[in-house]
């Protein structure tokens, strides 16, 4: 179950970022990036479950990468919101 969910949420991050790159407006871009951020959060959840499971390899490096990605997405969303407000 964990590996299936990790695959779904982990690959969804990139798919949503790709969709955001083709957004029709800045609001649409922000919305799609927020979805990517939610998927990154869900991925972190599944990685934490895997970390505490005997049946999965140690995902510490993946957790660090996921955290970094979440921070990047948050910064992109915040700066995009500032741009939206200044218009």
């Amino acid at each position: 179950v964990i590996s299936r969910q990790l695959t779904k949420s982990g690959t969804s991050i990139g798919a949503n970022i790709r969709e955001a790159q083709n957004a029709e407006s800045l609001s649409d871009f922000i919305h799609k990036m927020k979805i990517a951020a939610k998927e990154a959060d869900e991925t972190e959840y599944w990685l934490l479950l895997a970390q505490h499971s005997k049946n999965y390899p140690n995902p510490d490096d993946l957790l660090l990468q996921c955290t970094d990605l979440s921070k990047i997405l948050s910064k992109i969303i915040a700066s995009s919101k500032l741009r939206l407000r200044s218009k």
Side-chain angles (χ1 to χ4, degrees):
V1 171
I2 293 173
S3 62
R4 183 172 180 267
Q5 290 300 119
L6 259 171
T7 300
K8 288 174 68 175
S9 63
T11 56
S12 182
I13 300 167
N16 283 292
I17 291 171
R18 185 74 180 247
E19 279 190 47
Q21 291 172 333
N22 295 303
E24 295 181 19
S25 66
L26 185 53
S27 294
D28 188 34
F29 174 82
I30 293 167
H31 175 72
K32 287 175 171 52
M33 292 301 277
K34 283 182 176 181
I35 294 170
K38 287 179 182 182
E39 293 296 334
D41 188 56
E42 182 180 343
T43 300
E44 183 178 349
Y45 169 78
W46 291 112
L47 286 169
L48 287 169
L49 287 182
Q51 186 179 43
H52 297 287
S53 174
K54 297 176 187 176
N55 300 325
Y56 292 92
N58 187 345
D60 288 346
D61 188 47
L62 291 174
L63 274 166
L64 287 173
Q65 290 178 36
C66 193
T67 300
D68 289 344
L69 182 57
S70 291
K71 289 177 184 177
I72 292 167
L73 290 170
S74 292
K75 187 68 174 176
I76 291 169
I77 292 165
S79 63
S80 296
K81 284 181 177 180
L82 286 174
R83 283 184 43 216
L84 186 63
R85 288 185 197 125
S86 67
K87 285 189 173 187

